[in-house]
Amino acid sequence: MPKFQRHVFVCINERPADHPKGCCKARGGVEVRDALKAELTKRGLSKQIRANNAGCLDQCEHGVTVVVYPEQVWYGAVTVDDVNEIVEKHLVGGEPVERLLIKDNK
Amino acid sequence: MPKFQRHVFVCINERPADHPKGCCKARGGVEVRDALKAELTKRGLSKQIRANNAGCLDQCEHGVTVVVYPEQVWYGAVTVDDVNEIVEKHLVGGEPVERLLIKDNK
């Protein structure tokens, strides 16, 4: 069975422009995913830590949503500028980035 | 932080029809995802156990690929006919469906 050390899912769900919930794609989900993949590749980590697209993760009100497994840590309102910190501190260092956590237990 | 008891990702990646790797979408990934979502909803489990689209999970040679977190159990060549067994035995019962496991440690 293939194993990743960590597996990161970035919501890139797209909704019509006038949808009241908005969507992670419009908020920059694709750019976050691309930056994450690029950073993991740059560090030679893409075989151990995989970044993937995901459909709607049902946290639309929190902005671009990212979930990290196996620990199921949820990040909200993630931007491209947050990617290096997530990689360095959490995906490599094992310590979640506190300031980006989705805190409510929906 | 929101928590799912289990989070299931189904690859629905799409490649051009002549791509040598093929893709999970052409092999029925969307139908598997739909069946999984429908079965979870029917059982009233969709709040605790979430099924999501995923991009390429890098297991293309194994047919439609499904990964279940937090335990990171990988299934290959999944069809709509396998969905009830995955839900009943694994997602509810906690025991992976042995015959569908991807066995090689890529």
Side-chain angles (χ1 to χ4, degrees):
Chain A
M1 206 176 311
K3 289 281 181 192
F4 295 123
Q5 187 185 334
R6 288 197 162 87
H7 201 161
V8 187
F9 294 90
V10 181
C11 179
I12 60 157
N13 190 43
E14 183 172 19
R15 290 201 180 91
D18 58 352
H19 193 288
K21 282 193 172 182
C23 65
C24 284
K25 188 162 183 185
R27 295 182 183 120
V30 172
E31 292 76 9
V32 169
R33 177 208 60 195
D34 287 347
L36 195 52
K37 279 183 176 282
E39 187 60 26
L40 291 170
T41 299
K42 196 178 87 178
R43 292 173 183 243
L45 293 171
S46 60
K47 296 290 177 196
Q48 304 102 286
I49 304 174
R50 186 162 179 91
N52 260 115
N53 298 340
C56 179
L57 295 167
D58 196 27
Q59 307 295 328
C60 314
E61 68 276 28
H62 297 296
V64 173
T65 301
V66 172
V67 59
V68 180
Y69 279 100
E71 56 269 59
Q72 193 177 171
V73 163
W74 291 83
Y75 293 122
V78 178
T79 72
V80 167
D81 291 342
D82 300 318
V83 164
N84 283 4
E85 188 177 354
I86 291 173
V87 172
E88 179 67 26
K89 193 168 177 187
H90 183 178
L91 304 184
V92 174
E95 189 183 341
V97 180
E98 187 73 24
R99 68 180 181 85
L100 296 171
L101 293 178
I102 296 178
K103 294 208 171 61
D104 63 322
N105 203 330
K106 222 176 105 165
Chain B
M1 207 176 310
K3 289 280 181 193
F4 295 123
Q5 188 186 333
R6 289 197 162 86
H7 202 161
V8 187
F9 294 90
V10 181
C11 179
I12 61 158
N13 190 44
E14 182 172 19
R15 291 202 179 90
D18 58 352
H19 193 288
K21 282 193 171 182
C23 64
C24 284
K25 188 162 185 187
R27 294 182 184 121
V30 173
E31 292 77 8
V32 168
R33 176 209 59 194
D34 288 347
L36 194 52
K37 278 182 175 283
E39 186 61 25
L40 291 170
T41 299
K42 196 178 87 178
R43 292 173 182 244
L45 294 170
S46 60
K47 296 291 175 194
Q48 304 102 286
I49 303 174
R50 187 164 178 91
N52 259 116
N53 298 339
C56 179
L57 295 167
D58 197 26
Q59 307 295 329
C60 313
E61 67 275 28
H62 297 295
V64 173
T65 301
V66 173
V67 60
V68 181
Y69 279 99
E71 57 268 61
Q72 196 178 167
V73 163
W74 291 84
Y75 293 123
V78 177
T79 72
V80 167
D81 292 341
D82 300 318
V83 164
N84 283 4
E85 188 177 354
I86 291 173
V87 172
E88 178 68 26
K89 193 169 177 187
H90 182 179
L91 305 185
V92 174
E95 190 184 340
V97 180
E98 187 73 26
R99 67 179 182 84
L100 296 172
L101 293 177
I102 297 177
K103 294 210 172 58
D104 63 323
N105 203 331
K106 219 175 110 165

